[in-house]
Amino acid sequence: MTISWVQAAILGLFACLCSNSCMAGQAVGNYTIGRPLVGGLICGIVLGNVPLGIAAGVAMQLVYIALVTPGGTVSADVRAISYIGIPLAMVAITAQGLNPMSGSAANLAKSVGTLVGTVGTVLYYAVATMNLVWQSFGWKDVHNGKLDKLTAVNFGWPWISHALFSFIPTMLLTYYGSTAVTALRNALPMDGVAMKTLFTVGGMLPCVGIAILLRQIINTPLDFVPFLVGFTLAASLHLNLVSVTVISLLFAVIFYEVEMARGSNNGTPSVADGPDDDDEEDI
Amino acid sequence: MENTTDTMKKLDRKTLNKSFHRWFWGALTCFSQEHMQTFGYMASMLPIIKKLYPKHDDQVKAIHAYTAFFNTNPMLGTVIVGITASMEQARSNGQNIDGETINDMRAGLMGPIAGIGDSLIDGTLIPILLGISLGMSSGGSPVGAIFYIVSWVLIAYFGQRFLYFRGYKFGDQAVSFLVGKQGAAIRHAIGIVGSMVVGGVLASWVNVTTSLKLVGSNGKVFLNLQDKLDSIYPGILTVAITFFCWWLMTKKHVSAIWTMLILVAVSLVGVLLGFFNPGLSY
């Protein structure tokens, strides 16, 4: 599988639309087009192999299931994961001759995709920094009372930041990266230590994604109990996720009733502002 | 163009829609580390301000309330934009509201709304949708991806729209639901759903196994570690690695990237010791 300039340019355009400071709206861009699952579908269509794209996207989605960016700090940026990582993973899987649906193909996708994840962070900061230029235009316009120009500051100029730091890097990295990934096939034998480690790491990477998510939703040690209940239901009883969700809804209803009843009994109408408001820190 | 006191100014639906859409599509387009969502906010308040203040000088004066730093969860934050629209309307009608009042409200709300939004939307709703979609997309089928696109975009668009108009209608009382006692109970309950589904996602999709087998002198395997572990608690290695990552990041404040690098080291040692072996060859 190779990636042509046209295909690389289309991937670059999608990278512009879905970055964290995105040009297609946060809900549509970052949260939809940017999710690796959706990115896998789009990369599959662009590169002409939808099942392979989806398989790579599913694998990558697990690593990045938690893309929480508290306070604008970013641990990973979706443009690089979805539109550089997935295409290169697809090329790598094809080059190694793996069955796209196999677990080893998924583990390779996770490793290759995550390697470029840090590139996204660099691009994110580059775009955000360059936007300061357009914002300085904006402050001048507000100061001089030219309010209509604010629309261009917010919707027009940032395209230049993205052309420089989303479009061009994505286009170059996917075009030249695919050649490099194909060439690697001969350099690294599959049963060597390097490839064995790469596949093993690929299998473990989703644990990091889940752990990031746990950091977000677990506030007291007791919160681990529902997590382990969900795990046991799926691992030991082999329930699918819809069934796990239904069972969890039952517990949610019970907890809601208990909490509401507890509040009315001791008669203190304490305004229970969450202690979990915006710190996702320690227990 | 005279401000007559007998006619109260009221924002029409078209203006509110325009303001909402500007937030939906442009909350973060001109993001920077310094001002974050400030310009997205200004751009979405512009139609409101132009409608309420016919005089250019008043418009310029009004926009200055929105030049203050703003950043929150862009989904739930929609409610704050709606609230300011109604406060701005009250201010233009001569009520006792000034730019400072509006700013105090915005500054007071953006923290809690960001915290609730990050854990509710990013931490719970999206993992649930993705968990279900991943199952539908196994085997390379595009159904799950399409399901995610349709369900999430509909929830995001109509949910944000609802929040915007709720904020406009009830002003700053709209938030009491989210941060009040009932809101806290609901959030706690939804947190249970989130934790359980995340556990299910981990069990369904991640499988860390060991290939360690001890072979006796007669060539027979007398210890297959993975089988032993499965008979104790299926998936115990997966849970152990996940807890290890969680412990590193939460208790030791190791960054996600370093955690991944530590996993590389763990894998390398494991491969060299024969604990891990993906068992592949050309």
Side-chain angles (χ1 to χ4, degrees):
Chain A
M1 179 180 273
T2 54
I3 294 177
S4 71
W5 279 115
V6 176
Q7 287 168 327
I10 297 172
L11 294 172
L13 189 65
F14 274 100
C16 294
L17 293 174
C18 77
S19 84
N20 202 284
S21 46
C22 50
M23 303 308 299
Q26 180 81 344
V28 175
N30 190 44
Y31 281 75
T32 309
I33 301 170
R35 298 292 124 162
L37 177 64
V38 178
L41 175 65
I42 292 167
C43 293
I45 293 169
V46 172
L47 300 184
N49 188 343
V50 172
L52 175 59
I54 296 271
V58 165
M60 291 296 298
Q61 183 62 72
L62 283 162
V63 182
Y64 293 100
I65 194 146
L67 277 164
V68 188
T69 52
T73 57
V74 66
S75 55
D77 189 84
V78 287
R79 97 195 83 185
I81 299 158
S82 293
Y83 296 102
I84 303 173
I86 291 177
L88 294 186
M90 290 169 70
V91 172
I93 291 168
T94 319
Q96 304 284 20
L98 296 168
N99 172 11
M101 301 312 144
S102 63
S104 41
N107 288 348
L108 182 59
K110 288 168 206 161
S111 286
V112 173
T114 314
L115 281 177
V116 301
T118 39
V119 175
T121 314
V122 176
L123 298 178
Y124 166 82
Y125 285 114
V127 169
T129 306
M130 189 164 196
N131 281 346
L132 280 171
V133 177
W134 322 129
Q135 293 187 343
S136 75
F137 293 179
W139 293 128
K140 247 182 231 150
D141 294 334
V142 170
H143 190 73
N144 297 332
K146 294 175 187 158
L147 298 185
D148 286 321
K149 292 201 171 170
L150 276 180
T151 308
V153 169
N154 198 50
F155 291 95
W157 293 113
W159 275 105
I160 297 177
S161 318
H162 276 288
L164 282 176
F165 296 115
S166 297
F167 182 79
I168 291 174
T170 305
M171 189 167 72
L172 294 178
L173 282 172
T174 48
Y175 183 83
Y176 290 110
S178 63
T179 325
V181 167
T182 312
L184 266 181
R185 184 191 190 281
N186 300 323
L188 294 171
M190 198 76 120
D191 46 3
V193 171
M195 284 308 260
K196 273 185 183 173
T197 307
L198 199 65
F199 280 93
T200 306
V201 171
M204 288 184 191
L205 281 174
C207 296
V208 181
I210 301 281
I212 294 174
L213 204 51
L214 286 178
R215 203 172 51 166
Q216 188 72 18
I217 58 182
I218 284 181
N219 297 302
T220 66
L222 268 181
D223 292 341
F224 275 118
V225 175
F227 168 73
L228 285 173
V229 170
F231 184 86
T232 311
L233 287 175
S236 303
L237 300 176
H238 303 292
L239 293 185
N240 70 19
L241 279 167
V242 179
S243 313
V244 174
T245 310
V246 170
I247 294 176
S248 70
L249 284 173
L250 169 78
F251 285 98
V253 171
I254 295 171
F255 270 78
Y256 175 76
E257 295 292 343
V258 167
E259 198 148 315
M260 291 306 279
R262 192 167 52 189
S264 58
N265 275 350
N266 54 27
T268 45
S270 58
V271 183
D273 273 357
D276 51 338
D277 269 352
D278 51 352
D279 53 338
E280 83 289 2
E281 288 297 300
D282 287 357
I283 283 177
Chain B
M1 287 289 183
E2 278 284 279
N3 279 353
T4 46
T5 41
D6 52 324
T7 52
M8 289 286 276
K9 279 182 277 189
K10 199 168 182 321
L11 291 163
D12 57 306
R13 204 153 175 97
K14 204 178 136 202
T15 312
L16 290 168
N17 265 329
K18 195 172 174 191
S19 162
F20 162 69
H21 281 122
R22 280 181 164 220
W23 178 259
F24 184 81
W25 293 107
L28 284 159
T29 43
C30 199
F31 179 92
S32 79
Q33 292 293 328
E34 195 181 345
H35 304 293
M36 298 201 168
Q37 297 164 349
T38 309
F39 277 83
Y41 208 119
M42 277 199 273
S44 67
M45 285 310 288
L46 200 56
I48 305 266
I49 284 167
K50 292 190 119 178
K51 188 81 187 173
L52 290 173
Y53 305 98
K55 287 204 196 105
H56 183 257
D57 285 354
D58 295 341
Q59 293 176 1
V60 176
K61 225 163 83 188
I63 201 87
H64 271 97
Y66 303 95
T67 53
F69 172 84
F70 190 78
N71 188 45
T72 191
N73 177 282
M75 311 293 154
L76 291 195
T78 319
V79 74
I80 306 180
V81 189
I83 292 167
T84 39
S86 84
M87 288 176 89
E88 196 62 62
Q89 179 183 290
R91 167 158 84 153
S92 74
N93 282 316
Q95 281 188 35
N96 190 20
I97 293 174
D98 55 12
E100 213 170 306
T101 316
I102 293 179
N103 252 318
D104 286 350
M105 188 280 302
R106 296 196 321 155
L109 283 184
M110 63 189 191
I113 295 278
I116 298 170
D118 284 351
S119 60
L120 220 58
I121 309 281
D122 300 48
T124 308
L125 175 63
I126 290 192
I128 290 174
L129 279 180
L130 282 174
I132 294 168
S133 310
L134 284 170
M136 295 166 139
S137 261
S138 57
S141 154
V143 175
I146 294 165
F147 170 79
Y148 175 78
I149 295 170
V150 173
S151 56
W152 163 251
V153 170
L154 288 180
I155 292 171
Y157 181 80
F158 288 104
Q160 286 197 54
R161 206 186 160 83
F162 173 82
L163 282 175
Y164 183 95
F165 283 96
R166 237 341 104 102
Y168 172 69
K169 196 171 164 195
F170 293 111
D172 47 3
Q173 294 164 329
V175 172
S176 63
F177 173 75
L178 276 171
V179 297
K181 175 174 167 281
Q182 197 188 14
I186 291 176
R187 266 157 48 209
H188 190 202
I190 293 175
I192 301 282
V193 179
S195 305
M196 280 184 71
V197 172
V198 170
V201 168
L202 182 67
S204 310
W205 290 99
V206 188
N207 192 16
V208 180
T209 53
T210 171
S211 58
L212 189 71
K213 288 188 179 79
L214 292 183
V215 185
S217 52
N218 56 355
K220 275 197 172 172
V221 177
F222 69 87
L223 175 73
N224 183 334
L225 187 60
Q226 186 60 40
D227 287 354
K228 276 275 175 291
L229 292 175
D230 280 343
S231 67
I232 299 167
Y233 183 66
I236 191 166
L237 276 182
T238 314
V239 169
I241 293 283
T242 309
F243 275 141
F244 176 61
C245 296
W246 176 83
W247 175 81
L248 281 177
M249 288 191 286
T250 319
K251 299 291 179 191
K252 298 281 151 194
H253 302 285
V254 178
S255 73
I257 289 166
W258 275 103
T259 306
M260 288 177 179
L261 289 176
I262 290 170
L263 286 188
V264 172
V266 169
S267 303
L268 179 65
V269 173
V271 166
L272 291 175
L273 293 176
F275 191 77
F276 297 120
N277 186 0
L280 291 166
S281 59
Y282 284 118

